[in-house]
């Protein structure tokens, strides 16, 4: 049932030979075998036959199986012939046609389009070709009826959306009476796929909202208020205010929050996290912020400590390189509840880290953490803490719907005021001296520059050598002591990485040569130029992330994508997109279109890949509709108890345990 044909052969019509034109693809004709002969010798040997109906002559040709076919052909016999129509030197021809002897009068045309299924060489060699599978399917289908292939969608939905009934849809997708009814079947079954998933996701969300128990942040307290009033260095954007409000409502409801915060690079997610952490403290709970890298954790720690300076709340940092004595102190303080805000890396989820009353866990740049890692945070409190996951880059809408549909999500689609879009250009390697001149002019104006080299694999020797060569090259253009360069890469010990990074942050160095370790989150507002070497080797979201490292202050900023002149068409397309927009949400959509859901980072076990027919890119509109109606159904009848939803409920029960429900919660 669920092995769907990939194409159909139209044998519903019998065409007159005179009506065959070059625009006809496959055709079926009926006529008498006029005569046949083998011509040519050895490698050019072929069998030709001529078939006539009352309108004309068609030539039939075989290059293989000649002896066998020649024996089976009979002059003056009537045949039904099917195949791909060729025009060869003005004559109409079928090579290797399918032949069927017409016995009593003309064979009637088939009443449906004949399905062809994908198969394998091995199956084919055992007689199970694409069309043989069709014959099996037809045979099996005859055993089915509306009684055992039950409808699963509510009747009202079927009529409202003018969907084919389920049995009919399966029939028409395998054996359609026309292309049009095939399309209708496809639409119905795609809708069903999306609808069932969306229903389950909506149900998980609904259940969590209703049943989960969460700590209550009932009040906005002194800490939050005085920070907001006296310490916030800028006015929040409207999007930030909206999201803070959404989270406050959520965390005050008594249910556990499980929220995804999506924001473009530089939209200011950190300050939102910080405000919610203060809210937790105000309500007597501890909170933690977990970052994917040591550098990022350090940076969050410095920024947040600085912003909280003068307020009666302590912030601490726990990473793999925290000294033993300090670590001991932190662990004890966390367990005893003397420490309210902790920032760190994976170190936070280790068994030894125990909280007295963890109320909120913020996870920055979620792609980097596995599900199990996140789940281990839950276990650190009796009542699971509220969870706020912040993405590194926007996720395409449809992917968010299929993959995170069980979460609540907030979107920050606005950048802080005064930001100028980063000017992005594409330059070939031959242009490098000019690029270096430009960099020099920016440095002379007191600005700093990133030069990024690809590091596809942490262990790749080639990438590493490429980086070192690049570094030497940059150094030749910018010699000490006039210019200072920091270099950061994955092979350095953590301490050295941190020192080099810190020198750049402190403006002691002008240029940061680095691999993508600085990709996420790093914030140096004085940096105005981002040069990306071998830009063709990066994916769109990575390029966008990297570009997001500049343009963080009010200065005009630049992103220069360097490539060789040899560029594949997809790389060219990526670069075109980068130079035409700064909008991360738009880029995410394009990325999905270009690569498909399977290739997007973090979606290897994506729910978006579980669809047999539907495609979250091409069938976006159907997905939107399915989501909308799934939510309505769950809202109106969460237990699916009404008579109308009964068949839906039975269907879901029959699927129980067959589909993974949810990745995150
Ligand atoms: P991201 O969402 O990429 O994590 P960050 O939280 O690092 O972004 O914020 C980027 C920069 O923008 C930081 O320097 C931050 O202080 C600043 N910022 C955040 N919100 C605002 C705002 N409302 N107005 C001005 N600057 C802001
Ligand atoms: Mg960030």
């Amino acid at each position: 049932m669920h092995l769907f044909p990939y194409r159909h052969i139209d044998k519903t019509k019998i065409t007159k030979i005179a009506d065959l034109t070059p625009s006809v693809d496959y055709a079926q004709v009926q006529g008498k075998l006029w005569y046949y002969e083998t011509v040519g010798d050895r490698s050019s040997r072929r069998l030709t036959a001529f078939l006539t109906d009352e309108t004309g002559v068609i030539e039939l040709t075989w290059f293989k199986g000649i002896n066998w076919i020649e024996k089976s052909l009979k002059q003056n016999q009537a045949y039904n012939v099917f195949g791909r129509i060729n025009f060869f030197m003005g004559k109409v021809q079928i090579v290797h046609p399918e032949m069927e002897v017409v016995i009593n009068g003309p064979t009637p045309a088939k009443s449906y389009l004949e399905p062809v299924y994908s198969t394998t060489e091995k199956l084919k060699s055992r007689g199970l070709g694409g069309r043989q599978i069709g014959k099996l399917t037809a045979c099996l289908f005859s055993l089915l009826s509306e009684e055992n292939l039950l409808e699963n969608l509510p009747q009202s939905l079927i009529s409202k959306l003018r969907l084919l009934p389920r049995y009919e849809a399966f029939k028409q997708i395998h054996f359609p009476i026309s292309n049009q009814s095939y399309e209708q079947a496809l639409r119905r079954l795609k809708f069903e796929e999306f609808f069932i998933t969306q229903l389950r996701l909506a149900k998980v969300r609904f259940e969590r909202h209703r049943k989960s128990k969460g700590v209550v942040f009932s009040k906005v307290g002194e800490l939050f208020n005085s920070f907001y009033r006296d310490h916030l260095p800028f006015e929040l954007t409207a999007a930030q205010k909206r999201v803070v409000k959404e989270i406050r409502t959520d965390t005050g409801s008594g249910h556990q929050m499980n929220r995804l915060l999506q924001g473009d690079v530089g939209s200011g997610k950190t300050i939102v996290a910080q405000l919610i952490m203060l809210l937790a403290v105000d309500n007597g709970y501890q909170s933690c912020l977990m970052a994917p890298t040591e550098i990022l954790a350090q940076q969050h720690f410095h920024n947040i400590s600085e912003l909280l300076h003068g307020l009666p709340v302590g912030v601490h940092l726990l990473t793999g390189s925290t000294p033993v004595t300090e670590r001991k102190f932190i662990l004890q303080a966390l367990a005893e509840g003397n420490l309210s805000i902790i920032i760190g890396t994976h170190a936070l989820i280790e068994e030894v880290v125990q909280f007295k009353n963890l109320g909120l866990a913020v996870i920055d740049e979620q792609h980097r953490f596995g599900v199990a890692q996140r789940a281990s945070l839950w276990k650190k409190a009796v009542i699971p803490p509220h969870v706020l996951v912040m993405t590194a880059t926007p996720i395409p809408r449809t992917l968010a719907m299929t993959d995170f549909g069980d979460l609540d999500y907030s979107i920050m689609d606005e950048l802080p005021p005064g930001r100028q879009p980063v000017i992005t250009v594409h330059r070939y390697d031959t242009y490098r001296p000019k690029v270096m001149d430009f960099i020099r002019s920016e440095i002379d104006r007191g600005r700093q520059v990133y030069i990024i080299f690809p590091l596809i694999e942490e262990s790749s020797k080639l990438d590493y050598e490429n980086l070192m060569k690049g570094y030497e090259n940059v150094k030749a253009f910018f010699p000490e002591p006039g210019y200072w360069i920091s270099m950061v890469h994955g092979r350095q010990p953590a301490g050295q990485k941190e020192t080099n990074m810190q020198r750049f942050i402190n403006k002691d160095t002008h240029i940061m040569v680095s691999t993508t370790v600085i990709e996420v989150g790093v914030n140096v507002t004085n940096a105005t130029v981002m040069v990306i070497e071998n830009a063709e080797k990066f994916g769109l979201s990575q390029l966008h992330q990297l570009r997001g490292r500049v343009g963080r202050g009010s200065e005009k900023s630049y992103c220069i994508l360097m490539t060789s002149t040899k560029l594949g068409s997809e790389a060219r397309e990526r670069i075109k997109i980068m130079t035409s927009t700064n909008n991360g949400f738009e880029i995410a959509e394009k990325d999905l279109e270009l690569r498909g859901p399977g290739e997007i980072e973090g979606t290897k076990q994506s729910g978006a890949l579980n669809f047999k027919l539907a495609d979250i890119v091409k069938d976006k509109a159907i997905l939107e509709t399915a989501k909308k109606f799934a939510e309505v159904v769950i809202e109106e009848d969460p237990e699916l108890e009404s008579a109308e939803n009964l068949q839906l409920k039975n269907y879901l029960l029959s699927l129980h345990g067959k589909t993974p429900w949810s990745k995150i919660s």
Side-chain angles (χ1 to χ4, degrees):
M1 294 295 311
H2 291 270
L3 177 71
F4 297 111
Y6 70 95
R7 72 179 177 96
H8 286 92
I9 293 170
D10 188 354
K11 286 187 171 180
T12 59
K13 287 188 289 289
I14 291 168
T15 313
K16 297 285 174 216
I17 292 173
D19 293 338
L20 294 172
T21 62
S23 68
V24 177
D25 196 5
Y26 283 87
Q28 174 171 239
V29 295
Q30 266 179 28
K32 265 204 182 121
L33 194 67
W34 184 21
Y35 78 90
Y36 60 91
E37 61 179 355
T38 43
V39 290
D41 48 28
R42 290 184 191 279
S43 60
S44 71
R45 205 165 89 96
R46 63 186 190 277
L47 170 64
T48 5
F50 294 89
L51 190 89
T52 60
D53 66 6
E54 65 278 15
T55 69
V57 184
I58 185 168
E59 187 180 313
L60 311 173
T61 308
W62 290 264
F63 299 100
K64 286 182 190 159
I66 296 175
N67 295 340
W68 187 77
I69 290 161
E70 191 172 12
K71 257 185 248 157
S72 74
L73 292 179
K74 256 205 214 102
Q75 208 162 355
N76 282 327
Q77 169 71 52
Y79 286 95
N80 184 42
V81 173
F82 176 85
R84 184 192 277 282
I85 300 303
N86 284 324
F87 274 79
F88 183 67
M89 309 221 291
K91 279 187 298 187
V92 58
Q93 181 197 52
I94 298 177
V95 176
H96 292 158
E98 285 170 29
M99 307 279 287
E100 210 179 324
V101 173
V102 175
I103 299 172
N104 292 321
T107 314
K110 285 259 165 50
S111 59
Y112 58 82
L113 306 181
E114 199 187 308
V116 185
Y117 299 82
S118 44
T119 177
T120 65
E121 281 310 315
K122 198 160 183 181
L123 283 176
K124 244 187 233 169
S125 72
R126 307 287 168 94
L128 267 183
R131 296 178 62 197
Q132 279 76 29
I133 294 176
K135 283 181 186 139
L136 279 181
T137 311
C139 182
L140 291 172
F141 207 93
S142 67
L143 305 175
L144 286 174
S145 69
E146 276 106 334
E147 259 91 79
N148 45 30
L149 182 50
L150 296 173
E151 183 55 68
N152 55 7
L153 300 180
Q155 201 49 51
S156 63
L157 203 58
I158 292 176
S159 36
K160 197 177 294 167
L161 297 172
R162 300 216 194 86
L163 298 172
L164 284 186
R166 191 156 193 256
Y167 172 80
E168 194 56 27
F170 272 106
K171 188 165 174 185
Q172 293 303 321
I173 202 159
H174 288 284
F175 312 107
I177 50 171
S178 65
N179 283 324
Q180 196 192 3
S181 62
Y182 173 75
E183 292 300 328
Q184 280 178 342
L186 205 55
R187 182 170 150 263
R188 143 82 206 212
L189 293 175
K190 282 177 175 178
F191 178 85
E192 181 181 317
E193 278 189 326
F194 281 146
F195 181 77
I196 297 295
T197 348
Q198 289 300 316
L199 197 74
R200 298 175 137 207
L201 292 169
K203 174 92 169 137
V204 172
R205 269 178 57 204
F206 182 87
E207 291 292 309
R208 197 183 58 247
H209 288 173
R210 195 175 57 165
K211 289 201 186 136
S212 74
K213 215 160 135 33
V215 296
V216 185
F217 299 168
S218 58
K219 60 171 189 209
V220 180
E222 191 42 36
L223 207 49
F224 185 100
N225 281 328
S226 61
F227 174 76
Y228 201 94
R229 209 176 38 231
D230 308 324
H231 293 251
L232 197 59
F234 38 65
E235 167 97 4
L236 291 187
T237 64
Q240 285 170 322
K241 284 184 191 160
R242 174 170 44 76
V243 171
V244 169
K245 204 167 159 194
E246 282 168 3
I247 297 174
R248 261 180 47 197
T249 312
D250 226 5
T251 51
S253 71
H255 303 301
Q256 191 225 355
M257 174 178 79
N258 201 356
R259 185 171 283 272
L260 181 71
L261 171 54
Q262 272 204 68
D264 204 347
V265 192
S267 60
K269 295 183 285 286
T270 320
I271 197 79
V272 170
Q274 189 184 330
L275 283 163
I276 306 307
M277 287 164 85
L278 293 180
L279 187 69
V281 178
D282 268 340
N283 286 278
Y285 289 99
Q286 296 172 301
S287 56
C288 70
L289 168 59
M290 187 157 84
T293 63
E294 173 108 17
I295 290 177
L296 255 184
Q298 305 237 7
Q299 186 184 290
H300 280 320
F301 173 68
H302 291 305
N303 292 344
I304 292 178
S305 320
E306 205 164 293
L307 283 171
L308 292 180
H309 188 74
L311 284 166
V313 59
V315 182
H316 288 79
L317 177 69
L318 183 68
T319 70
S321 55
T322 304
V324 179
T325 41
E326 196 182 335
R327 187 181 169 80
K328 234 173 154 177
F329 162 78
I330 289 177
L331 291 184
Q332 190 172 349
L334 280 176
E336 288 171 359
N338 299 326
L339 204 161
S340 304
I341 297 181
I342 181 91
I343 294 170
T345 53
H346 296 76
L348 284 178
I349 55 178
E350 283 166 20
E351 195 68 41
V352 291
V353 183
Q354 294 296 330
F355 292 82
K356 174 126 187 275
N357 58 351
L358 182 64
L360 169 72
V362 181
I363 302 171
D364 195 14
E365 330 286 22
Q366 59 92 23
H367 279 96
R368 304 260 179 129
F369 291 104
V371 182
Q373 288 177 323
R374 284 186 227 134
S376 60
L377 272 175
W378 285 216
K379 297 192 199 113
K380 294 193 180 290
V382 185
I383 296 178
H386 296 303
V387 178
L388 179 66
V389 177
M390 306 197 290
T391 60
T393 41
I395 300 168
R397 247 180 78 72
T398 50
L399 202 58
M401 277 159 72
T402 43
D403 267 27
F404 303 113
D406 53 340
L407 296 181
D408 295 298
Y409 54 93
S410 296
I411 291 181
M412 293 208 312
D413 46 5
E414 185 184 356
L415 295 184
R419 292 273 173 80
Q420 303 185 38
V422 179
I423 296 162
T424 306
V425 295
H426 173 207
R427 294 287 181 258
Y428 292 118
D429 291 342
T430 45
Y431 203 82
R432 178 162 289 108
K434 285 213 171 139
V435 170
M436 293 298 170
D437 286 344
F438 175 71
I439 289 176
R440 187 171 294 120
S441 72
E442 280 292 298
I443 293 175
D444 290 348
R445 295 176 53 229
R447 308 281 162 253
Q448 289 164 285
V449 177
Y450 290 106
I451 302 179
I452 307 295
F453 288 83
L455 187 69
I456 309 309
E457 271 175 65
E458 204 68 22
S459 59
S460 161
K461 204 164 154 233
L462 206 71
D463 286 342
Y464 183 69
E465 280 167 8
N466 190 28
L467 170 75
M468 297 318 272
K469 237 169 55 200
Y471 174 69
E472 293 303 328
N473 191 27
V474 175
K475 220 166 162 180
F477 275 98
F478 298 98
E480 292 170 5
Y483 301 93
W484 298 96
I485 305 172
S486 286
M487 179 162 67
V488 171
H489 59 77
R491 289 195 174 183
Q492 289 166 332
Q496 192 182 347
K497 238 190 280 187
E498 163 65 9
T499 316
N500 292 347
M501 195 69 218
Q502 209 54 52
R503 288 180 68 210
F504 188 68
I505 294 171
N506 298 342
K507 302 192 197 175
D508 292 339
T509 55
H510 303 100
I511 299 175
M512 161 67 76
V513 171
S514 137
T515 58
T516 47
V517 289
I518 62 133
E519 183 191 333
V520 270
V522 174
N523 194 20
V524 179
T525 43
N526 189 50
T528 56
V529 184
M530 166 66 60
V531 179
I532 303 175
E533 297 282 350
N534 298 111
E536 73 276 9
K537 291 200 181 162
F538 293 87
L540 266 177
S541 74
Q542 226 183 353
L543 288 173
H544 181 62
Q545 258 299 323
L546 287 168
R547 177 168 62 181
R549 300 303 110 217
V550 296
R552 307 199 133 226
S554 50
E555 292 299 320
K556 194 164 247 168
S557 300
Y558 307 87
C559 175
I560 303 169
L561 306 172
M562 305 289 298
T563 72
S564 72
T565 44
K566 276 182 262 150
L567 266 188
S569 63
E570 239 200 63
R572 206 169 279 281
E573 182 68 27
R574 283 200 297 272
I575 290 183
K576 200 172 113 202
I577 292 165
M578 285 299 293
T579 53
S580 66
T581 179
N582 267 282
N583 181 324
F585 284 92
E586 217 173 286
I587 289 171
E589 295 292 337
K590 288 275 188 323
D591 199 20
L592 180 62
E593 271 169 42
L594 273 182
R595 294 194 293 166
E599 297 302 314
I600 307 285
E601 193 189 346
T603 61
K604 289 283 180 273
Q605 312 99 35
S606 167
L609 303 176
N610 290 340
F611 303 115
K612 279 206 155 105
L613 292 168
D615 175 317
I616 64 165
V617 176
K618 294 187 195 107
D619 304 313
K620 214 177 199 162
I622 303 180
L623 174 56
E624 306 259 357
T625 315
K627 179 180 164 68
K628 194 176 88 190
F629 282 97
E631 279 170 359
V632 172
V633 168
I634 290 296
E635 219 160 90
E636 288 175 353
D637 182 17
E639 299 300 331
L640 305 179
E641 285 163 335
S642 69
E644 157 133 301
N645 290 332
L646 197 62
Q647 51 202 28
L648 189 55
K649 182 171 196 160
N650 287 337
Y651 178 75
L652 288 175
L653 287 174
S654 78
L655 288 183
H656 195 73
K658 282 189 194 159
T659 324
W661 270 80
S662 151
K663 291 198 311 167
I664 291 185
S665 53

